[in-house]
Amino acid sequence: MNTPTINPTGGALAGVRVIEAAAFVAAPLGGMTLAQMGADVIRIDTLGGGLDFRRWPVTADNTSLFWCGLNKSKRSVALDLGKPEGREIAMALITAPGEDAGILLTNFPPRGWLDHEKLKERREDLIQLTVQGDRHGGSAVDYTINSRVGIPYITGDESGAATNEAVNHVLPAWDLVTGQMAAVGLLAAERHRLKTGHGQHVKLALEDVALAVVSHLGLIAEAQLGQQRQRHGNELFGAFGRDFKTSDGELVIIVGLTLKQWQAICGAMGLTEAVKGLGERTGLNLDLEGDRFKARKELGVMVEEWMTQHTYAEASAALAKQGACWGRYQTLRQLVTQDEACSLANPMFRTIDQPGVGKHLAAGLPLNFSAWERLPVAAAPTLGQHTDEVLSELLGVTQAQYGAIVERGVVGR
Amino acid sequence: MNTPTINPTGGALAGVRVIEAAAFVAAPLGGMTLAQMGADVIRIDTLGGGLDFRRWPVTADNTSLFWCGLNKSKRSVALDLGKPEGREIAMALITAPGEDAGILLTNFPPRGWLDHEKLKERREDLIQLTVQGDRHGGSAVDYTINSRVGIPYITGDESGAATNEAVNHVLPAWDLVTGQMAAVGLLAAERHRLKTGHGQHVKLALEDVALAVVSHLGLIAEAQLGQQRQRHGNELFGAFGRDFKTSDGELVIIVGLTLKQWQAICGAMGLTEAVKGLGERTGLNLDLEGDRFKARKELGVMVEEWMTQHTYAEASAALAKQGACWGRYQTLRQLVTQDEACSLANPMFRTIDQPGVGKHLAAGLPLNFSAWERLPVAAAPTLGQHTDEVLSELLGVTQAQYGAIVERGVVGR
């Protein structure tokens, strides 16, 4: 028998049990958010691992840093889901008794062993959340959704407009938002069950998340009302902000979104008079963010001139002194080796020893609750690490029965 | 007296009341997520509007599509927060009695009228969630955080690596994730209060959200273990996927992340034999996503050749027939005018009539709960639209008293 990887005491969701049958980013991230709040999140995987078990980045020996990163603090049950008995055990786990249990998070189609109606026959108050590609259940991933909602055509250098170039994002933003919304949906449904005893099936389509966000940001209204958003390279739309290089070659972003932020930039660089002059010449009120956007090229030249005459040390000192809003562009390597926030000095981080990977820095929950200490970050399980203990705990499977299940090839040895 | 914009009955969070004092994306989006689940979310703004009241995109008469988009389905109270009486009313609203009330969502510093300890003196079980820039409360916005966590250096064309070019994202992804996590945090804290009666102060730093995500995606481990992520243009890292142009000039993204998706592409394009030959020549197992990434240039040539020989109509029919994972690159204008999912055919959308904007398509909640009908999408309030009714409902302010408050200039006329 394995010893449990995680200690189920403590945290906002202590006592809550969630079964997760999921791959890639959105649903596993939603599940991990719950796990990092103290829920007992038990993944069910097929023997040998699911669709994302070898997703890159991987180590030299093909352990997925992606899979490990998204499944921290969970338990793992591995079953042969091709066998009726494997599917039967999976359904029994999903619907096992327990006051704050009976919660299923998945991004697989709700049929077969994930059929909500069949599962409900075994546990009437089941809460199931199904993440879908499109709202009809069709196939879609973050990158195909992103192409549809217009973002690649407004990303990147202005020169790309002439060639109709599209720039994909590398951060799967839609997956990330969907994962957190999945956690929102489960918590809202669980709140309802606490009050009424009723479960339900919640559906959440990646496509709808992206469409809603572009609506909420005003992009749908803007396009519908006849304006065509242009691409503006690294310039922040509607205010002042872009990248600048210091005299010693460091790249920084400087943002003047609010008036206070803008005044801090002018103060740090001694630009107040020059900006006043520009406002008078152009008839723009540069205290307004929109007018700063209109004058962004001229303002950019002023800031650029100052930046090229100052080293990074000088520029950062001056900007920090005025409380400006700015940041250095860092490579991931610089982030990991030079940024104090990405180190054990930040209480969100711990060093974990991940089987197949080794010791490395890993993040816990960004939410910092005053009512609970942050839970320690636990490594991802090895595949099937907790099969025996979970079958014993949830289904009362004895060691003899477990041995027979192993013999029948339903679980790994 | 105004009539209420929203009907507080129905939805997952019917009966819950949240006070929001917030600007920009993250906190308002978190608040709107709660509002679109039926919570009564009441914004407190300063007279004339807060920092984001004119955030672009704006209409010709300077109404912010951004502000309206992020504040749909909320109520608005506008007070002169420069006056002690304005701040006093704000604190009274935040701590007003009510079983499922006493919840504050803000991204302003927790001092003055937002000081958690002072507010707690008035309502012991207050739940406050404060969104911060960095974990010490320092200034940061999505774009300055993004520069720090390494994403701009791995975005965009491979040629950018030589010039150390950084490519900013235009979608404020960190804000979006943070907004949903804020909703998660409030729901978890409210669950705890339902069970124990205790409130708390939850803090959530934009910086921590970004750092956690790059950890979860394996990027921190990868960098720490000595690998340097390269930029790969529009190519999907670790599998097969990129943009292709059809013979009639349409740009589409085609993704073969899973084996099934890859086989669908090969089936649609008749590439099965050619791919087999490539595998034999190179010694790669192209059934594996990682090997497809290694052979992405050669595979890209094959797919490209097929695509340049087929029109968009032909390519999309062939891909759809095989159940491939693909999407068309659309401008926002194409999305709004040509995509069925971005229309009233999608039950998430409604047409709203927004004061200062007019009728346009607006999105409700992506979460589709089986226990509740989707709530109608309500327009954003006009600034201070509900000041009188909220002061009456929550604080019992009479019409005569309200008149005196107006006289003292604490609220608008």
Side-chain angles (χ1 to χ4, degrees):
Chain A
M1 294 276 160
N2 296 305
T3 48
T5 313
I6 50 169
N7 179 351
T9 59
L13 299 181
V16 172
R17 188 173 72 222
V18 178
I19 304 291
E20 177 186 306
F24 300 114
V25 179
L29 179 62
M32 194 168 70
T33 300
L34 303 176
Q36 293 195 324
M37 290 197 289
D40 178 16
V41 178
I42 301 170
R43 274 185 71 87
I44 297 179
D45 274 297
T46 196
L47 292 182
L51 293 169
D52 60 344
F53 192 58
R54 300 293 176 193
R55 183 88 181 93
W56 283 29
V58 291
T59 62
D61 73 348
N62 212 23
T63 300
S64 170
L65 300 173
F66 172 97
W67 192 91
C68 291
L70 286 162
N71 291 301
K72 295 189 289 275
S73 300
K74 300 178 189 173
R75 295 203 281 177
S76 169
V77 167
L79 301 168
D80 184 346
L81 294 167
K83 289 194 167 73
E85 189 180 355
R87 297 192 294 271
E88 169 61 33
I89 293 172
M91 293 180 79
L93 290 173
I94 292 165
T95 57
E99 197 190 345
D100 291 330
I103 302 175
L104 169 63
L105 171 57
T106 183
N107 68 326
F108 300 140
R111 52 179 184 253
W113 59 282
L114 294 169
D115 183 312
H116 184 71
E117 293 309 316
K118 276 194 213 148
L119 290 166
K120 243 178 78 174
E121 285 168 18
R122 296 170 180 235
R123 180 164 178 152
E124 176 62 29
D125 69 347
L126 178 73
I127 295 168
Q128 177 167 355
L129 190 141
T130 300
V131 174
Q132 305 175 299
D134 68 33
R135 71 183 196 278
H136 307 295
S139 170
V141 297
D142 176 281
Y143 307 95
T144 62
I145 296 292
N146 193 50
S147 71
R148 281 176 59 199
V149 298
I151 304 300
Y153 277 142
I154 58 172
T155 303
D157 197 77
E158 290 172 350
S159 64
T163 50
N164 207 27
E165 189 198 348
V167 178
N168 289 355
H169 63 189
V170 291
L171 189 77
W174 305 118
D175 275 340
L176 300 174
V177 180
T178 302
Q180 299 306 330
M181 283 210 100
V184 168
L186 285 176
L187 287 170
E190 201 261 343
R191 183 180 192 275
H192 180 63
R193 192 175 67 176
L194 280 177
K195 295 206 163 197
T196 67
H198 298 308
Q200 62 180 308
H201 191 184
V202 190
K203 292 181 181 174
L204 178 60
L206 193 59
E207 177 186 81
D208 279 348
V209 170
L211 289 166
V213 165
V214 292
S215 167
H216 300 340
L217 294 174
L219 291 162
I220 285 182
E222 186 185 32
Q224 202 184 14
L225 298 172
Q227 297 173 57
Q228 179 75 42
R229 177 71 69 94
Q230 304 300 313
R231 76 179 82 200
H232 298 292
N234 281 350
E235 281 164 351
L236 180 65
F237 178 71
F240 180 81
R242 51 162 267 221
D243 54 320
F244 294 96
K245 213 167 250 180
T246 62
S247 65
D248 49 350
E250 288 287 342
L251 199 61
V252 299
I253 182 166
I254 302 178
V255 170
L257 187 53
T258 66
L259 180 58
K260 203 175 137 198
Q261 289 168 353
W262 174 240
Q263 288 171 336
I265 297 169
C266 294
M269 302 185 179
L271 296 178
T272 307
E273 282 309 305
V275 168
K276 202 177 151 192
L278 177 67
E280 283 163 6
R281 282 198 305 283
T282 54
L284 295 170
N285 178 357
L286 298 172
D287 283 354
L288 302 178
E289 61 190 281
D291 280 10
R292 289 197 289 279
F293 183 68
K294 289 176 188 163
R296 65 192 179 278
K297 299 296 180 195
E298 296 87 341
L299 295 173
V301 168
M302 293 181 193
V303 173
E304 194 167 72
E305 194 180 355
W306 188 89
M307 290 294 284
T308 55
Q309 291 165 5
H310 292 80
T311 63
Y312 176 73
E314 290 163 355
S316 59
L319 289 164
K321 194 178 165 193
Q322 296 289 327
C325 184
W326 65 286
R328 183 169 79 134
Y329 286 86
Q330 302 183 133
T331 63
L332 281 153
R333 185 80 195 147
Q334 287 174 315
L335 173 69
V336 168
T337 56
Q338 298 171 19
D339 195 322
E340 176 263 2
C342 187
S343 77
L344 295 175
N346 183 341
M348 185 177 69
F349 281 102
R350 297 285 175 103
T351 297
I352 60 170
D353 191 358
Q354 178 69 51
V357 176
K359 288 192 181 174
H360 66 281
L361 203 65
L365 189 71
L367 285 160
N368 193 4
F369 293 97
S370 67
W372 306 281
E373 291 289 313
R374 261 202 179 103
L375 294 175
V377 186
T382 56
L383 201 66
Q385 180 181 345
H386 307 95
T387 308
D388 50 2
E389 77 179 35
V390 168
L391 266 56
S392 163
E393 278 174 38
L394 271 62
L395 307 181
V397 168
T398 64
Q399 271 197 286
Q401 288 168 329
Y402 190 77
I405 294 170
V406 172
E407 281 305 310
R408 292 193 292 274
V410 177
V411 305
R413 278 169 198 277
Chain B
M1 295 275 161
N2 296 305
T3 49
T5 313
I6 50 169
N7 179 352
T9 59
L13 299 181
V16 172
R17 189 174 73 222
V18 178
I19 304 291
E20 177 185 307
F24 300 115
V25 179
L29 179 62
M32 194 168 69
T33 299
L34 303 176
Q36 293 195 326
M37 291 197 289
D40 179 17
V41 177
I42 302 169
R43 274 185 71 86
I44 297 179
D45 275 296
T46 195
L47 292 182
L51 293 169
D52 60 344
F53 192 57
R54 300 293 176 193
R55 182 90 181 91
W56 283 30
V58 291
T59 62
D61 74 348
N62 212 24
T63 300
S64 170
L65 300 173
F66 172 98
W67 192 91
C68 290
L70 287 161
N71 292 301
K72 295 190 290 273
S73 299
K74 300 177 189 173
R75 296 202 282 178
S76 169
V77 167
L79 301 168
D80 185 345
L81 294 167
K83 288 195 167 72
E85 188 180 355
R87 297 191 294 270
E88 168 60 33
I89 293 172
M91 293 181 80
L93 290 172
I94 292 165
T95 57
E99 197 190 346
D100 293 328
I103 301 174
L104 169 63
L105 171 58
T106 182
N107 67 325
F108 300 140
R111 53 179 184 253
W113 59 282
L114 294 169
D115 183 311
H116 184 69
E117 294 307 317
K118 277 194 213 148
L119 290 165
K120 243 178 78 173
E121 285 168 17
R122 296 169 180 236
R123 181 165 178 152
E124 175 63 30
D125 70 347
L126 177 73
I127 294 168
Q128 177 168 353
L129 190 141
T130 300
V131 174
Q132 304 174 300
D134 67 35
R135 71 183 196 279
H136 308 295
S139 169
V141 298
D142 177 281
Y143 307 95
T144 61
I145 296 292
N146 193 50
S147 71
R148 281 177 58 200
V149 298
I151 303 300
Y153 277 143
I154 57 172
T155 303
D157 197 76
E158 290 171 352
S159 64
T163 50
N164 207 25
E165 189 198 348
V167 179
N168 289 354
H169 63 189
V170 291
L171 189 77
W174 305 118
D175 275 340
L176 301 173
V177 180
T178 302
Q180 299 306 329
M181 283 209 101
V184 168
L186 285 176
L187 287 170
E190 201 262 343
R191 182 178 192 276
H192 180 64
R193 192 175 66 176
L194 280 176
K195 294 207 163 196
T196 67
H198 297 307
Q200 63 180 308
H201 191 185
V202 190
K203 292 182 181 173
L204 178 62
L206 194 58
E207 177 186 81
D208 279 348
V209 170
L211 289 166
V213 165
V214 291
S215 166
H216 300 340
L217 294 175
L219 291 162
I220 285 181
E222 186 185 33
Q224 202 185 11
L225 298 172
Q227 298 173 56
Q228 179 75 40
R229 177 70 69 94
Q230 304 300 312
R231 76 179 83 200
H232 297 291
N234 281 348
E235 282 165 350
L236 180 64
F237 178 71
F240 181 81
R242 51 162 268 221
D243 54 319
F244 294 94
K245 213 167 249 178
T246 62
S247 65
D248 49 349
E250 287 288 340
L251 199 61
V252 299
I253 181 167
I254 302 178
V255 170
L257 188 53
T258 67
L259 180 59
K260 202 175 138 197
Q261 289 169 352
W262 174 239
Q263 288 171 337
I265 298 169
C266 294
M269 302 185 179
L271 296 179
T272 307
E273 282 309 306
V275 168
K276 201 176 153 194
L278 177 66
E280 283 162 6
R281 283 198 305 283
T282 55
L284 294 170
N285 178 357
L286 298 172
D287 283 354
L288 302 178
E289 62 192 280
D291 280 10
R292 290 197 289 280
F293 184 67
K294 289 176 188 163
R296 66 192 179 278
K297 299 297 178 193
E298 295 88 339
L299 295 172
V301 168
M302 292 180 192
V303 173
E304 194 167 71
E305 194 180 355
W306 188 88
M307 290 293 284
T308 55
Q309 290 166 6
H310 293 81
T311 62
Y312 176 72
E314 291 163 354
S316 60
L319 289 165
K321 194 178 165 193
Q322 297 288 328
C325 184
W326 65 286
R328 184 169 78 133
Y329 286 85
Q330 302 184 134
T331 63
L332 281 152
R333 185 80 195 147
Q334 287 175 315
L335 173 69
V336 168
T337 56
Q338 299 172 19
D339 194 323
E340 176 263 3
C342 186
S343 77
L344 294 174
N346 183 341
M348 185 177 70
F349 281 102
R350 297 285 175 101
T351 296
I352 61 170
D353 191 356
Q354 178 70 51
V357 177
K359 289 192 182 175
H360 66 281
L361 203 63
L365 189 71
L367 285 161
N368 193 3
F369 293 97
S370 66
W372 305 281
E373 290 288 316
R374 262 203 177 102
L375 294 175
V377 186
T382 55
L383 201 66
Q385 181 180 344
H386 306 95
T387 308
D388 49 2
E389 76 179 35
V390 168
L391 266 56
S392 163
E393 278 174 38
L394 272 61
L395 307 180
V397 168
T398 64
Q399 270 196 287
Q401 289 168 328
Y402 190 76
I405 294 170
V406 172
E407 281 306 311
R408 292 193 292 274
V410 177
V411 306
R413 279 172 196 277

